[in-house]
């Protein structure tokens, strides 16, 4: 598969096509984070125009109550209002907004979605886990090694963890649009293990006591699912690769590289051996909460959730023992953008911009409900 950086930043001011360039935007509302990516198409790929990320902790307390709390919804609406201003500023024409595990699970998610539409003008589609798996795989396609036969994509989220195994043995130099239309998923699963949900599930313990329990829970969950699939044995082979996409993985890579501040270009696409990965996990455990807060690539907002993410990562690496971990600072948003750019009409022609699309960045109902593929 060709390894072209789909997210490369333009040098200087982005070159513009004749006339007004069409911009695309992907909005991802997760259990912990709210994120935006605005891009302009360049051939089969894109260049990033603007981005935004805000930890909103939408799923805080969801495990206990089954509902999104008032404070959590307020934080998310505030973050989405900032995103709406960016969309309006850039006059984005194509927008897709998706929500994941927290909104899938919450009993009051319909009420929250209605409030978001009313206060921000953004309409979200609550996607199913399989769509989340598909988009993450598309977003990470650049990092698939040409020599790979089997690729595992590990997406550690706030409320769940999605794992997929891709059979890439016959992809070769197939164009990106082929992958967008048919992701070669061999097996997949969405596990109820996320950095927020797992942290809250063991909140009665201090972190010294909680980590072994979180690790045991993740190990048991993964081993039970893999039983009979023989994927563990396959991942030990020379043609197997592991790609990790999540804040846990990128923050951990930043610590391993000793960065004084987080830099995407310094972590995206790098590889870490199991020994390096487990070594940094040990370093984070030994540092304690205050020590992790002081680490520039983690900070106060993520420090309390890092160990649960590390437990999930360690258990996955142990269950499916790849020779190295490829770090991906990309995922759902990139997959959304590429899916939008390569969408086709049923008759096979590329879809043109609908007249109903609003230039101020507000998604039309048909787009937000996933019909703009």
């Amino acid at each position: 598969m060709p390894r072209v950086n789909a997210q490369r930043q333009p040098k200087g001011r982005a070159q513009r096509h004749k006339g007004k360039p069409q911009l695309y935007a992907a909005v991802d509302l997760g259990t912990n984070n709210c994120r935006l990516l605005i891009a302009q198409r360049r051939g089969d790929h894109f260049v990033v125009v603007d981005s935004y990320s805000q930890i909103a902790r939408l799923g805080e307390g969801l495990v206990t109550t089954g509902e999104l709390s008032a404070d959590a919804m307020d934080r998310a609406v505030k973050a989405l209002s900032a995103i709406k201003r960016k969309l309006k500023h850039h006059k984005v024409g194509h927008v897709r907004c998706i929500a994941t595990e927290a909104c899938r699970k919450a009993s009051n998610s319909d009420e929250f979605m209605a409030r978001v539409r009313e206060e921000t003008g953004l309409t979200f589609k609550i996607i199913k886990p399989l769509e989340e798996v598909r988009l993450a795989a598309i977003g990470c396609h650049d990092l698939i090694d040409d020599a790979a036969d089997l690729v595992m994509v590990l997406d550690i989220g706030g409320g769940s963890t999605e794992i997929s195994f891709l059979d890439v043995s016959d992809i070769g130099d197939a164009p990106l649009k082929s992958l967008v239309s048919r992701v070669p998923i061999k097996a997949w699963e969405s596990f109820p293990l996320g950095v927020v949900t797992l942290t809250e599930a063991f909140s009665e313990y201090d972190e010294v006591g909680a980590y072994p329990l979180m690790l045991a829970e993740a190990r048991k969950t993964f081993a039970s699912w893999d039983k009979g699939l023989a994927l563990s044995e396959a991942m030990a082979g020379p043609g197997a690769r592991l790609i990790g996409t999540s804040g846990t993985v990128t923050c951990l890579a930043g610590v391993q590289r000793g960065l004084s501040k987080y830099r995407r270009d310094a972590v995206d696409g790098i590889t870490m051996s199991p020994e390096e990965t487990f070594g940094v996990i040990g370093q984070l455990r030994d540092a304690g909460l205050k020590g992790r807060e002081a680490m520039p690539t983690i900070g106060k907002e993520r420090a309390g959730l890092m160990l649960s993410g590390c437990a999930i990562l360690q258990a996955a690496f142990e269950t499916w023992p790849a020779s190295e971990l490829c770090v991906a600072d990309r995922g759902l948003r990139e997959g959304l953008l590429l899916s939008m750019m390569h969408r086709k009409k049923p008759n096979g022609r590329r879809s043109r911009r609908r007249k109903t699309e609003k230039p101020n960045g507000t998604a039309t109902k048909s787009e937000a409900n996933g019909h703009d593929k």
Side-chain angles (χ1 to χ4, degrees), residues 3-20:
R3 300 188 64 182
V4 180
N5 188 350
Q7 303 167 76
R8 55 186 180 276
Q9 297 282 356
K11 294 181 179 180
R13 181 174 295 181
Q15 295 181 353
R16 293 173 176 257
H17 296 300
K18 290 182 179 180
K20 192 174 182 180

Side-chain angles (χ1 to χ4, degrees), residues 34 52 54-56 74-84:
C34 182
Y52 174 86
Q54 177 63 48
I55 293 178
D74 287 345
R75 290 193 297 266
V77 169
K78 183 178 179 180
L80 291 172
S81 296
I83 284 176
K84 176 58 183 295

Side-chain angles (χ1 to χ4, degrees), residues 10-212:
K11 294 181 179 180
R13 181 174 295 181
Q15 295 181 353
R16 293 173 176 257
H17 296 300
K18 290 182 179 180
K20 192 174 182 180
Q22 289 197 9
L23 297 182
Y24 296 79
V27 183
D28 170 20
L29 178 59
T31 302
N32 190 51
N33 215 343
C34 182
R35 301 182 298 172
L36 163 73
L37 198 61
I38 300 174
Q40 183 179 350
R41 183 168 181 169
R42 287 288 187 272
D44 281 344
H45 299 276
F46 61 79
V47 291
V48 174
V49 173
D50 200 356
S51 63
Y52 174 86
S53 180
Q54 177 63 48
I55 293 178
R57 306 192 310 280
L58 178 62
E60 186 177 60
L62 179 60
V63 171
T64 303
T65 66
E67 294 184 340
L68 303 175
S69 71
D71 287 345
M73 290 189 287
D74 287 345
R75 290 193 297 266
V77 169
K78 183 178 179 180
L80 291 172
S81 296
I83 284 176
K84 176 58 183 295
R85 290 192 292 271
K86 282 183 172 288
L87 294 171
K88 186 174 182 180
H89 171 74
H90 288 288
K91 297 181 173 62
V92 180
H94 304 268
V95 181
R96 278 196 67 190
C97 305
I98 60 170
T100 54
E101 185 70 3
C103 291
R104 284 196 292 259
K105 296 295 186 184
S107 61
N108 59 342
S109 59
D110 288 345
E111 171 190 335
F112 172 61
M113 294 285 96
R115 178 184 170 188
V116 169
R117 284 195 299 272
E118 180 179 352
E119 296 189 24
T120 70
L122 299 173
T123 302
F124 278 79
K125 177 187 178 185
I126 302 175
I127 62 172
K128 295 180 179 181
L130 179 56
E131 178 67 359
E132 193 169 352
V133 164
R134 190 184 75 86
L135 291 172
I138 293 171
C140 293
H141 82 280
D142 281 348
L143 301 179
I144 298 176
D145 192 325
D146 289 338
D149 296 319
L150 180 67
V151 174
M152 173 184 167
V153 179
L154 171 67
D155 185 3
I156 303 172
S160 64
T161 290
E162 280 68 44
I163 290 177
S164 62
F165 292 85
L166 312 179
D167 181 0
V168 297
S169 57
D170 63 348
I171 288 182
D173 293 328
L176 173 59
K177 62 183 179 182
S178 297
L179 179 63
V180 171
S181 62
R182 188 191 68 83
V183 179
I185 299 174
K186 181 181 179 71
W188 72 278
E189 185 58 272
S190 178
F191 299 94
L193 302 170
V195 297
V196 175
T197 53
L198 198 58
T199 298
E200 292 185 355
F202 293 93
S203 60
E204 62 185 286
Y205 302 91
D206 61 31
E207 67 175 41
V208 174
Y211 189 83

